[in-house]
Amino acid sequence: MTAEGEPSITDEEGPGLDDATAMRLLRDGTLDVAGRLVEATNMTLYCSIRNGAHVAACVYKPVRGERPLWDFPDGTLAAREVAAYEVAAATGWRIVPPTVYRDGPLGPGMVQLWIDTDPETDLLALVRSRHPALRRMAVFDAVVNNADRKGGHLLPLRDGHIYGVDHGVCFAADDKLRTVLWQWRGKPLPREAVTVLVNLEHEIERGRLGRRLRELLAPAEVEATWERVRRLLDTGIHPYPSEDWPAIPWPPI
């Protein structure tokens, strides 16, 4: 994405932070807005964040900058982004960069660690691939009911890891899965995924994850998340696209 004003933040430490340190920095650091990502639908600000010796770049999406949507309650997108991080953290797959909900210069919102991607990656080729990280992401998206998994929401790193971002339209109680990652539809879930899903089912029903999701989402949305996990375990396969709505978001990249 392009930021107005072409901000420059020296960020030698940010990419090397472990997740626990990054979370403390995001929660407690001082935010300094450097520019705006002009291609984003909702207000998305590129910032530096500093706490003592730690400094990194991050993205800040204030609630007041969210555009109303007909199918999601107003002012809930930032919390959904944080909920997606919580689910991703529970999987152990590190799909979503460290993300918190906190106050900022324009009020409360989502703050997420900035990720520098590999500029040489061909996103079209990546989306069509069967990269193991994308298969994990396909399972994750089915759990969180991601209504907008575009190719541009994939952040490939030079070391081969792939992050996913922009999870503001997840966790609807009604099925809304729209994604470019349908290459495993109908295929049996890998053993690794089944193990992760069994843990998610327990964590949502009676563990810390369920308590955290109930802080961020409506009760019906938490219940629907548990039901999607249970459905994946019952069927044992990656879901098929729905016949009732477009299965791929537009634009796909």
Side-chain angles (χ1 to χ4, degrees):
M1 289 184 176
T2 304
E4 287 180 338
E6 298 182 357
S8 177
I9 295 175
T10 300
D11 183 25
E12 296 180 355
E13 183 183 13
L17 293 175
D18 63 83
D19 284 359
T21 302
M23 290 292 284
R24 287 194 296 271
L25 175 59
L26 295 174
R27 281 194 299 262
D28 303 329
T30 300
L31 278 172
D32 183 18
V33 177
R36 181 173 179 177
L37 304 182
V38 296
E39 297 174 11
T41 301
N42 297 294
M43 182 185 291
T44 303
L45 302 174
Y46 180 70
C47 304
S48 67
I49 189 163
R50 181 182 296 273
N51 188 27
H54 296 302
V55 61
C58 64
V59 170
Y60 166 44
K61 296 182 180 180
V63 171
R64 66 188 293 183
E66 295 178 4
R67 295 184 180 180
L69 298 173
W70 70 269
D71 53 349
F72 285 86
D74 292 350
T76 67
L77 305 191
R80 294 173 192 280
E81 297 240 30
V82 178
Y85 170 76
E86 296 288 351
V87 173
T91 68
W93 286 334
R94 298 181 65 241
I95 288 173
V96 181
T99 309
V100 302
Y101 190 94
R102 56 162 288 178
D103 201 11
L106 295 176
M110 180 277 280
V111 178
Q112 185 175 83
L113 189 69
W114 176 268
I115 301 296
D116 287 317
T117 61
D118 180 0
E120 298 181 2
T121 299
D122 182 336
L123 276 181
L124 283 174
L126 178 63
V127 164
R128 296 190 184 107
S129 76
R130 294 182 176 270
H131 194 295
L134 294 186
R135 188 165 195 178
R136 297 186 190 106
M137 195 172 296
V139 175
F140 167 79
D141 284 343
V143 170
V144 302
N145 198 16
N146 193 346
D148 195 33
R149 175 61 74 200
K150 295 181 172 73
H153 296 167
L154 305 176
L155 303 184
L157 277 60
R158 292 183 184 275
D159 65 3
H161 187 75
I162 303 172
Y163 281 110
V165 294
D166 287 333
H167 298 105
V169 289
C170 292
F171 296 104
D174 297 329
D175 289 337
K176 290 181 179 289
L177 183 60
R178 294 193 305 168
T179 175
V180 293
L181 304 178
W182 287 113
Q183 49 267 63
W184 297 282
R185 61 193 181 279
K187 301 294 184 183
L189 293 167
R191 183 178 303 174
E192 173 197 31
V194 172
T195 300
V196 165
L197 290 168
V198 168
N199 181 64
L200 283 182
E201 180 190 25
H202 171 80
E203 280 297 308
I204 294 171
E205 187 173 25
R206 60 181 70 94
R208 177 196 173 278
L209 178 59
R211 293 191 296 273
R212 184 66 177 125
L213 292 181
R214 284 187 283 274
E215 295 172 353
L216 296 163
L217 304 170
E221 293 170 337
V222 179
E223 178 66 20
T225 303
W226 181 88
E227 290 174 354
R228 288 190 296 272
V229 173
R230 187 66 256 166
R231 189 186 315 148
L232 287 166
L233 288 170
D234 287 344
T235 63
I237 62 173
H238 287 268
Y240 286 97
S242 172
E243 297 180 356
D244 298 327
W245 61 84
I248 297 175
W250 187 262
I253 299 293

PDB file of all heavy atoms in Angstrom, residues 192-211:
ATOM      1  N   GLU A 192      -2.528 -32.215  11.183  1.00  0.00           N
ATOM      2  CA  GLU A 192      -2.139 -31.032  11.949  1.00  0.00           C
ATOM      3  C   GLU A 192      -3.343 -30.123  12.194  1.00  0.00           C
ATOM      4  O   GLU A 192      -3.547 -29.616  13.308  1.00  0.00           O
ATOM      5  CB  GLU A 192      -1.055 -30.259  11.199  1.00  0.00           C
ATOM      6  CG  GLU A 192      -0.690 -28.924  11.829  1.00  0.00           C
ATOM      7  CD  GLU A 192       0.057 -28.003  10.883  1.00  0.00           C
ATOM      8  OE1 GLU A 192      -0.187 -28.068   9.656  1.00  0.00           O
ATOM      9  OE2 GLU A 192       0.877 -27.214  11.376  1.00  0.00           O
ATOM     10  N   ALA A 193      -4.140 -29.903  11.150  1.00  0.00           N
ATOM     11  CA  ALA A 193      -5.299 -29.021  11.273  1.00  0.00           C
ATOM     12  C   ALA A 193      -6.324 -29.603  12.233  1.00  0.00           C
ATOM     13  O   ALA A 193      -6.943 -28.863  13.018  1.00  0.00           O
ATOM     14  CB  ALA A 193      -5.924 -28.776   9.905  1.00  0.00           C
ATOM     15  N   VAL A 194      -6.541 -30.907  12.177  1.00  0.00           N
ATOM     16  CA  VAL A 194      -7.502 -31.542  13.075  1.00  0.00           C
ATOM     17  C   VAL A 194      -7.077 -31.348  14.527  1.00  0.00           C
ATOM     18  O   VAL A 194      -7.895 -31.017  15.395  1.00  0.00           O
ATOM     19  CB  VAL A 194      -7.647 -33.035  12.737  1.00  0.00           C
ATOM     20  CG1 VAL A 194      -8.507 -33.742  13.793  1.00  0.00           C
ATOM     21  CG2 VAL A 194      -8.266 -33.215  11.351  1.00  0.00           C
ATOM     22  N   THR A 195      -5.785 -31.516  14.793  1.00  0.00           N
ATOM     23  CA  THR A 195      -5.275 -31.315  16.156  1.00  0.00           C
ATOM     24  C   THR A 195      -5.533 -29.886  16.623  1.00  0.00           C
ATOM     25  O   THR A 195      -5.965 -29.646  17.754  1.00  0.00           O
ATOM     26  CB  THR A 195      -3.774 -31.630  16.216  1.00  0.00           C
ATOM     27  OG1 THR A 195      -3.556 -32.993  15.841  1.00  0.00           O
ATOM     28  CG2 THR A 195      -3.225 -31.397  17.613  1.00  0.00           C
ATOM     29  N   VAL A 196      -5.270 -28.929  15.736  1.00  0.00           N
ATOM     30  CA  VAL A 196      -5.487 -27.520  16.071  1.00  0.00           C
ATOM     31  C   VAL A 196      -6.972 -27.255  16.314  1.00  0.00           C
ATOM     32  O   VAL A 196      -7.346 -26.543  17.254  1.00  0.00           O
ATOM     33  CB  VAL A 196      -4.933 -26.618  14.951  1.00  0.00           C
ATOM     34  CG1 VAL A 196      -5.458 -25.190  15.084  1.00  0.00           C
ATOM     35  CG2 VAL A 196      -3.411 -26.620  14.975  1.00  0.00           C
ATOM     36  N   LEU A 197      -7.829 -27.801  15.489  1.00  0.00           N
ATOM     37  CA  LEU A 197      -9.270 -27.574  15.626  1.00  0.00           C
ATOM     38  C   LEU A 197      -9.818 -28.166  16.913  1.00  0.00           C
ATOM     39  O   LEU A 197     -10.699 -27.568  17.557  1.00  0.00           O
ATOM     40  CB  LEU A 197     -10.000 -28.144  14.413  1.00  0.00           C
ATOM     41  CG  LEU A 197      -9.783 -27.397  13.095  1.00  0.00           C
ATOM     42  CD1 LEU A 197     -10.313 -28.219  11.921  1.00  0.00           C
ATOM     43  CD2 LEU A 197     -10.457 -26.028  13.121  1.00  0.00           C
ATOM     44  N   VAL A 198      -9.328 -29.319  17.301  1.00  0.00           N
ATOM     45  CA  VAL A 198      -9.759 -29.924  18.569  1.00  0.00           C
ATOM     46  C   VAL A 198      -9.414 -28.987  19.726  1.00  0.00           C
ATOM     47  O   VAL A 198     -10.226 -28.764  20.640  1.00  0.00           O
ATOM     48  CB  VAL A 198      -9.111 -31.301  18.772  1.00  0.00           C
ATOM     49  CG1 VAL A 198      -9.324 -31.800  20.201  1.00  0.00           C
ATOM     50  CG2 VAL A 198      -9.682 -32.305  17.775  1.00  0.00           C
ATOM     51  N   ASN A 199      -8.220 -28.405  19.682  1.00  0.00           N
ATOM     52  CA  ASN A 199      -7.831 -27.467  20.732  1.00  0.00           C
ATOM     53  C   ASN A 199      -8.686 -26.200  20.689  1.00  0.00           C
ATOM     54  O   ASN A 199      -9.099 -25.684  21.746  1.00  0.00           O
ATOM     55  CB  ASN A 199      -6.356 -27.103  20.584  1.00  0.00           C
ATOM     56  CG  ASN A 199      -5.894 -26.139  21.660  1.00  0.00           C
ATOM     57  OD1 ASN A 199      -5.891 -26.472  22.843  1.00  0.00           O
ATOM     58  ND2 ASN A 199      -5.520 -24.933  21.253  1.00  0.00           N
ATOM     59  N   LEU A 200      -8.976 -25.696  19.483  1.00  0.00           N
ATOM     60  CA  LEU A 200      -9.812 -24.506  19.364  1.00  0.00           C
ATOM     61  C   LEU A 200     -11.210 -24.755  19.930  1.00  0.00           C
ATOM     62  O   LEU A 200     -11.777 -23.891  20.602  1.00  0.00           O
ATOM     63  CB  LEU A 200      -9.922 -24.073  17.904  1.00  0.00           C
ATOM     64  CG  LEU A 200      -8.740 -23.342  17.278  1.00  0.00           C
ATOM     65  CD1 LEU A 200      -9.073 -22.955  15.846  1.00  0.00           C
ATOM     66  CD2 LEU A 200      -8.356 -22.108  18.077  1.00  0.00           C
ATOM     67  N   GLU A 201     -11.764 -25.920  19.635  1.00  0.00           N
ATOM     68  CA  GLU A 201     -13.091 -26.237  20.151  1.00  0.00           C
ATOM     69  C   GLU A 201     -13.113 -26.142  21.672  1.00  0.00           C
ATOM     70  O   GLU A 201     -14.009 -25.524  22.270  1.00  0.00           O
ATOM     71  CB  GLU A 201     -13.510 -27.645  19.714  1.00  0.00           C
ATOM     72  CG  GLU A 201     -14.890 -28.045  20.219  1.00  0.00           C
ATOM     73  CD  GLU A 201     -15.189 -29.510  19.979  1.00  0.00           C
ATOM     74  OE1 GLU A 201     -14.237 -30.304  19.869  1.00  0.00           O
ATOM     75  OE2 GLU A 201     -16.383 -29.845  19.933  1.00  0.00           O
ATOM     76  N   HIS A 202     -12.094 -26.724  22.305  1.00  0.00           N
ATOM     77  CA  HIS A 202     -12.015 -26.681  23.763  1.00  0.00           C
ATOM     78  C   HIS A 202     -11.809 -25.263  24.261  1.00  0.00           C
ATOM     79  O   HIS A 202     -12.468 -24.822  25.222  1.00  0.00           O
ATOM     80  CB  HIS A 202     -10.866 -27.570  24.238  1.00  0.00           C
ATOM     81  CG  HIS A 202     -10.569 -27.439  25.702  1.00  0.00           C
ATOM     82  ND1 HIS A 202     -11.306 -28.081  26.677  1.00  0.00           N
ATOM     83  CD2 HIS A 202      -9.622 -26.697  26.359  1.00  0.00           C
ATOM     84  CE1 HIS A 202     -10.828 -27.755  27.862  1.00  0.00           C
ATOM     85  NE2 HIS A 202      -9.814 -26.929  27.711  1.00  0.00           N
ATOM     86  N   GLU A 203     -10.911 -24.511  23.608  1.00  0.00           N
ATOM     87  CA  GLU A 203     -10.578 -23.166  24.064  1.00  0.00           C
ATOM     88  C   GLU A 203     -11.748 -22.195  23.918  1.00  0.00           C
ATOM     89  O   GLU A 203     -11.925 -21.295  24.733  1.00  0.00           O
ATOM     90  CB  GLU A 203      -9.359 -22.643  23.298  1.00  0.00           C
ATOM     91  CG  GLU A 203      -8.036 -23.162  23.806  1.00  0.00           C
ATOM     92  CD  GLU A 203      -7.774 -22.704  25.235  1.00  0.00           C
ATOM     93  OE1 GLU A 203      -7.873 -21.493  25.493  1.00  0.00           O
ATOM     94  OE2 GLU A 203      -7.500 -23.556  26.085  1.00  0.00           O
ATOM     95  N   ILE A 204     -12.534 -22.367  22.867  1.00  0.00           N
ATOM     96  CA  ILE A 204     -13.695 -21.492  22.686  1.00  0.00           C
ATOM     97  C   ILE A 204     -14.798 -21.855  23.669  1.00  0.00           C
ATOM     98  O   ILE A 204     -15.468 -20.980  24.236  1.00  0.00           O
ATOM     99  CB  ILE A 204     -14.221 -21.570  21.238  1.00  0.00           C
ATOM    100  CG1 ILE A 204     -13.179 -21.007  20.263  1.00  0.00           C
ATOM    101  CG2 ILE A 204     -15.537 -20.803  21.098  1.00  0.00           C
ATOM    102  CD1 ILE A 204     -13.521 -21.252  18.804  1.00  0.00           C
ATOM    103  N   GLU A 205     -14.986 -23.144  23.897  1.00  0.00           N
ATOM    104  CA  GLU A 205     -16.085 -23.585  24.750  1.00  0.00           C
ATOM    105  C   GLU A 205     -15.832 -23.277  26.223  1.00  0.00           C
ATOM    106  O   GLU A 205     -16.733 -22.808  26.929  1.00  0.00           O
ATOM    107  CB  GLU A 205     -16.319 -25.082  24.561  1.00  0.00           C
ATOM    108  CG  GLU A 205     -17.552 -25.590  25.277  1.00  0.00           C
ATOM    109  CD  GLU A 205     -17.857 -27.039  24.925  1.00  0.00           C
ATOM    110  OE1 GLU A 205     -16.919 -27.767  24.548  1.00  0.00           O
ATOM    111  OE2 GLU A 205     -19.028 -27.434  25.032  1.00  0.00           O
ATOM    112  N   ARG A 206     -14.595 -23.511  26.685  1.00  0.00           N
ATOM    113  CA  ARG A 206     -14.374 -23.361  28.136  1.00  0.00           C
ATOM    114  C   ARG A 206     -12.988 -22.818  28.496  1.00  0.00           C
ATOM    115  O   ARG A 206     -12.592 -22.882  29.654  1.00  0.00           O
ATOM    116  CB  ARG A 206     -14.583 -24.707  28.833  1.00  0.00           C
ATOM    117  CG  ARG A 206     -13.664 -25.813  28.371  1.00  0.00           C
ATOM    118  CD  ARG A 206     -13.967 -27.109  29.117  1.00  0.00           C
ATOM    119  NE  ARG A 206     -15.235 -27.659  28.713  1.00  0.00           N
ATOM    120  CZ  ARG A 206     -15.362 -28.577  27.761  1.00  0.00           C
ATOM    121  NH1 ARG A 206     -14.299 -29.036  27.132  1.00  0.00           N
ATOM    122  NH2 ARG A 206     -16.544 -29.044  27.436  1.00  0.00           N
ATOM    123  N   GLY A 207     -12.264 -22.252  27.537  1.00  0.00           N
ATOM    124  CA  GLY A 207     -10.919 -21.768  27.822  1.00  0.00           C
ATOM    125  C   GLY A 207     -10.778 -20.267  27.694  1.00  0.00           C
ATOM    126  O   GLY A 207     -11.763 -19.523  27.544  1.00  0.00           O
ATOM    127  N   ARG A 208      -9.530 -19.804  27.736  1.00  0.00           N
ATOM    128  CA  ARG A 208      -9.235 -18.374  27.667  1.00  0.00           C
ATOM    129  C   ARG A 208      -9.720 -17.760  26.367  1.00  0.00           C
ATOM    130  O   ARG A 208     -10.225 -16.631  26.349  1.00  0.00           O
ATOM    131  CB  ARG A 208      -7.725 -18.141  27.802  1.00  0.00           C
ATOM    132  CG  ARG A 208      -7.342 -16.667  27.654  1.00  0.00           C
ATOM    133  CD  ARG A 208      -5.870 -16.464  27.394  1.00  0.00           C
ATOM    134  NE  ARG A 208      -5.595 -15.068  27.092  1.00  0.00           N
ATOM    135  CZ  ARG A 208      -5.754 -14.506  25.904  1.00  0.00           C
ATOM    136  NH1 ARG A 208      -6.202 -15.241  24.876  1.00  0.00           N
ATOM    137  NH2 ARG A 208      -5.481 -13.224  25.706  1.00  0.00           N
ATOM    138  N   LEU A 209      -9.581 -18.480  25.246  1.00  0.00           N
ATOM    139  CA  LEU A 209      -9.978 -17.928  23.958  1.00  0.00           C
ATOM    140  C   LEU A 209     -11.462 -17.576  23.959  1.00  0.00           C
ATOM    141  O   LEU A 209     -11.854 -16.506  23.474  1.00  0.00           O
ATOM    142  CB  LEU A 209      -9.668 -18.914  22.829  1.00  0.00           C
ATOM    143  CG  LEU A 209     -10.088 -18.461  21.429  1.00  0.00           C
ATOM    144  CD1 LEU A 209      -9.403 -17.155  21.039  1.00  0.00           C
ATOM    145  CD2 LEU A 209      -9.791 -19.550  20.397  1.00  0.00           C
ATOM    146  N   GLY A 210     -12.294 -18.456  24.486  1.00  0.00           N
ATOM    147  CA  GLY A 210     -13.716 -18.169  24.527  1.00  0.00           C
ATOM    148  C   GLY A 210     -14.021 -16.927  25.351  1.00  0.00           C
ATOM    149  O   GLY A 210     -14.852 -16.100  24.957  1.00  0.00           O
ATOM    150  N   ARG A 211     -13.353 -16.796  26.487  1.00  0.00           N
ATOM    151  CA  ARG A 211     -13.567 -15.608  27.325  1.00  0.00           C
ATOM    152  C   ARG A 211     -13.146 -14.347  26.586  1.00  0.00           C
ATOM    153  O   ARG A 211     -13.833 -13.318  26.656  1.00  0.00           O
ATOM    154  CB  ARG A 211     -12.790 -15.748  28.635  1.00  0.00           C
ATOM    155  CG  ARG A 211     -13.296 -16.860  29.542  1.00  0.00           C
ATOM    156  CD  ARG A 211     -12.683 -16.792  30.912  1.00  0.00           C
ATOM    157  NE  ARG A 211     -11.233 -17.014  30.906  1.00  0.00           N
ATOM    158  CZ  ARG A 211     -10.653 -18.210  30.972  1.00  0.00           C
ATOM    159  NH1 ARG A 211     -11.396 -19.309  31.030  1.00  0.00           N
ATOM    160  NH2 ARG A 211      -9.339 -18.319  30.982  1.00  0.00           N
TER     161      ARG A 211
END
